[in-house]
């Protein structure tokens, strides 16, 4: 079973012990179950079946999984090795039990044969032969069980041996990779040193008596060279403008530890409360903040790059719709809750070199939790949003409703698109495996020419014949004439089909006529990237998500990368992360009480309440909506490395 309930025991860790003739005992987790069969043969069949089931359960445990022979394994920790040894010891104990039973049944069979030889009255022979036959059957059953247990032990030993060999090979490759990296760094160092000596600008011509080869601290025109293309390493060096040379991005994080915790024991007293007000341990989190999850919506930014090059606003609308759906593709396996950011926490993502955009997020409110986000791209578009998360725990499921609008403006055409997010639902809170569904409607409006797209996210239904996670939509112009049909799923792909003819059919509900569209063959607009190798052990993070919490120089001290509890959780130190999370939350409560006292005082003096550092409230001239938008200054402060006005929130 994938979960436990009252009255069940875990077969993988059960101890099976034979008692008297028809009696056996199962012990697991401090509980003992005493069972009795009708006969010795029936008892032995039960023991054999349970031992076989135990072997199957042991092979299904994560630490004995041998499905990844082709990929390199991460270094096994102490707990993994201890678990493997414990499993082998358990199998050895089963072999010892079978050995005792074989000895016992063999002795009984020998006695029966001796009694049969000593028979003098032929009338007693039938009963004795029946007894010999029964005991021979018992010996055969026990011998078969012994053979099966021996095979299981050998298979387990071989599996763990292969696992440890792969781990050893992985360590050898890592050491070799490290040696190559050091060698490349040495070459780069020599190259940089040679370039510095050969460059005429490195010598301070205005200062007399400066020795040849001596560096001048006043010089700002030092020329730096990129690392060699075949080098796996990188050097991060600030250039004259304060930006940073392009660097390699990490492709893995430490594997997620196997911590078990009962969600129901924590949440049963919280029904009806807002999720942000429930004190949750990091066991149910993923090592990313909500600001980083918001930034992760940019994973398929190339859709917006393509849209910026479109001459037709309707084709552009199709790509914007595909982009709005693509942001949900990462949620299909991601049941972990992101960290709720602290007030004033920020997160930047500078991908100008790779993808032409840079993004800044700031937590502008703690209760209710709200974040402001601004992205500007050198490839012709700007995106901004203010999102407030409203979440409710309903007992069997959790509903997460993002409130607020996403704005997207293209620089060349001036097209201004606005849309909202749909409701996310996390199911099976009480029992079973957690799974996420997206449901609701998205209306995308182009405020320049009134083009509109209506997307429908169909909720999952056990009785529906439709494909799960289905998304359908239509793109209409300002005159409500439909031009494109959109279809796909929010976890895989989206396609668009251009309408060439429409006609009214029959059979609509309530006497209305259905509209029948004739379209060209559909074109693929968006396809989800495959997950990286070993993603199931890395919180199912995408390639972009793996890089979001990577430490980076030059970012603001309020950046989510510096959050200590999140950093500890990513490293697998969950107990320490929980203690640090508790400290931060207590500190935030104290700060909130101070702010409330200051706000009351400010009201009396006619002053304003808390103001975000990088965002300010404005009214949009096109939509009439009032929201927090980026007021500028962050990237300039980063260039100067002047963070003196940033609060110490961690």
């Amino acid at each position: 079973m994938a979960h436990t309930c009252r009255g069940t025991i875990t077969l993988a860790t059960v101890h099976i012990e034979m008692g008297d003739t028809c009696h056996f005992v199962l012990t697991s987790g401090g509980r003992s179950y005493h069972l009795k069969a009708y006969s010795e043969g029936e008892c032995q069949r039960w023991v054999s079946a349970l031992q076989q089931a135990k072997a199957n359960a042991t092979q299904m445990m994560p630490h004995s999984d041998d499905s990844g022979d082709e990929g390199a394994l991460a270094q096994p920790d102490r707990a993994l090795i201890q678990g493997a040894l414990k499993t082998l010891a358990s199998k050895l104990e089963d072999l010892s039990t079978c050995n005792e039973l074989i000895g016992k049944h063999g002795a009984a069979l020998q006695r029966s044969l001796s009694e049969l030889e000593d028979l003098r009255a032929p009338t007693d022979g039938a009963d004795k032969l029946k007894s010999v036959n029964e005991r021979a059957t018992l010996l055969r059953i026990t011998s078969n069980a012994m053979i099966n247990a021996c095979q299981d032990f050998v298979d387990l030993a071989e599996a763990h041996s292969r696992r440890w060999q792969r781990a050893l090979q992985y360590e050898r490759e890592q050491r070799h990779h490290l040696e190559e990296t050091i060698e490349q760094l040495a070459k780069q160092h020599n190259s940089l040193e040679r370039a510095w000596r050969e460059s005429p600008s490195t010598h301070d011509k205005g200062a007399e008596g400066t020795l040849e080869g001596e560096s001048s601290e006043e010089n700002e025109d030092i020329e730096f060279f990129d690392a060699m293309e075949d080098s796996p390493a990188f050097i991060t060096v600030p250039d004259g403008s304060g930006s940073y040379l392009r660097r390699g991005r990490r492709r893995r994080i430490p594997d997620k530890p196997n911590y078990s915790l009962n969600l129901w024991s924590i949440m049963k007293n919280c029904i009806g409360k807002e999720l942000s007000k429930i004190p949750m341990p990091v066991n149910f989190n993923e090592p990313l903040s909500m600001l980083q999850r918001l930034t992760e919506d940019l994973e398929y930014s190339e859709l917006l790059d393509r849209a910026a090059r479109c001459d037709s606003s309707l084709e552009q609308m199709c790509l914007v719709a595909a982009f709005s759906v693509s942001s949900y593709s990462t949620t299909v396996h991601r049941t972990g809750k992101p960290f709720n950011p602290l007030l004033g926490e920020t997160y930047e993502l500078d991908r100008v070199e790779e993808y032409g955009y840079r993004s800044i997020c700031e937590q502008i409110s703690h209760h209710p939790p709200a974040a402001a986000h601004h992205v500007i791209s050198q490839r012709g578009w700007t995106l901004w949003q203010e999102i407030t998360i409203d979440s409710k725990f309903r007992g069997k499921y959790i509903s997460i409703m993002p409130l607020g609008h996403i704005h997207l403006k293209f620089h060349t055409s001036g097209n201004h698109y606005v849309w909202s997010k749909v409701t996310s639902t996390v199911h099976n809170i009480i029992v079973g495996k957690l799974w996420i569904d997206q449901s609701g409607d998205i209306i995308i409006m182009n405020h320049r020419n009134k083009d509109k797209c209506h997307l429908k996210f169909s909720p999952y239904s056990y009785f529906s014949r439709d494909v799960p996670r289905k998304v359908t939509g239509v793109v209409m112009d300002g005159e409500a004439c439909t031009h494109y049909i959109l279809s796909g799923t929010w976890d895989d792909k989206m396609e668009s089909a251009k309408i060439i003819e429409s006609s009214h059919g029959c059979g609509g509900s309530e006497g209305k006529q259905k509209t029948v569209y004739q379209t060209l063959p559909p074109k693929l607009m968006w396809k989800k990237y495959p997950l990286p190798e070993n993603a199931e052990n890395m919180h199912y993070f995408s390639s972009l998500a793996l890089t979001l919490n990577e430490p980076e120089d030059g970012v603001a001290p309020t950046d989510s990368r510096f959050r200590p509890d999140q950093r500890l959780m990513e490293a697998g130190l969950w107990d320490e992360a929980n203690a640090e999370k508790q400290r931060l939350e207590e500190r935030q409560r104290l700060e909130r009480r101070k702010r409330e006292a200051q706000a009351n005082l400010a009201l009396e003096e006619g002053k304003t309440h808390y103001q975000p550092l990088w965002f300010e409230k404005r009214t949009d001239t096109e939509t009439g909506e009032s929201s927090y938008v980026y007021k500028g200054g962050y990237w300039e402060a980063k260039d100067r490395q002047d963070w003196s006005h940033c609060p110490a929130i961690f």
Side-chain angles (χ1 to χ4, degrees), residues 68-119:
D69 282 355
E70 61 277 1
L73 276 177
Q75 179 181 2
D77 56 12
R78 188 184 301 273
L80 189 65
I81 295 173
Q82 287 177 346
L85 293 175
K86 187 176 179 181
T87 305
L88 290 173
S90 172
K91 300 306 296 182
L92 197 58
E93 191 176 343
D94 293 344
L95 288 175
S96 177
T97 303
C98 288
N99 185 45
E100 291 175 6
L101 287 171
I102 285 177
K104 175 181 174 183
H105 294 315
L109 181 61
Q110 189 65 46
R111 285 198 305 273
S112 295
L113 289 171
S114 299
E115 290 170 1
L116 193 62
E117 288 177 354
D118 296 336
L119 277 178

Side-chain angles (χ1 to χ4, degrees), residues 459-521:
Y460 175 80
S461 172
Y462 181 79
F463 303 101
S464 174
R465 294 181 180 179
D466 287 336
V467 61
R469 311 179 187 97
K470 181 180 178 182
V471 180
T472 54
V474 291
V475 174
M476 298 173 284
D477 60 19
E479 305 297 326
C481 180
T482 307
H483 291 267
Y484 286 90
I485 299 291
L486 308 180
S487 62
T489 58
W490 54 260
D491 68 323
D492 185 29
K493 65 180 180 179
M494 285 296 292
E495 295 177 333
S496 67
K498 185 177 176 62
I499 297 171
I500 55 176
E501 188 180 340
S502 62
S503 59
H504 293 291
C506 57
S509 59
E510 301 177 1
K512 296 179 181 177
Q513 289 184 324
K514 279 187 176 180
T515 303
V516 180
Y517 295 112
Q518 184 179 350
T519 67
L520 294 174

Side-chain angles (χ1 to χ4, degrees), residues 12 58 61-65 76-92 152-153 156-164:
T58 305
M61 289 176 70
H63 61 257
S64 63
D65 182 24
D77 56 12
R78 188 184 301 273
L80 189 65
I81 295 173
Q82 287 177 346
L85 293 175
K86 187 176 179 181
T87 305
L88 290 173
S90 172
K91 300 306 296 182
L92 197 58
D152 291 341
F153 182 86
L156 276 172
E158 286 179 354
H160 288 300
S161 174
R162 286 197 300 273
R163 194 179 184 91
W164 289 329

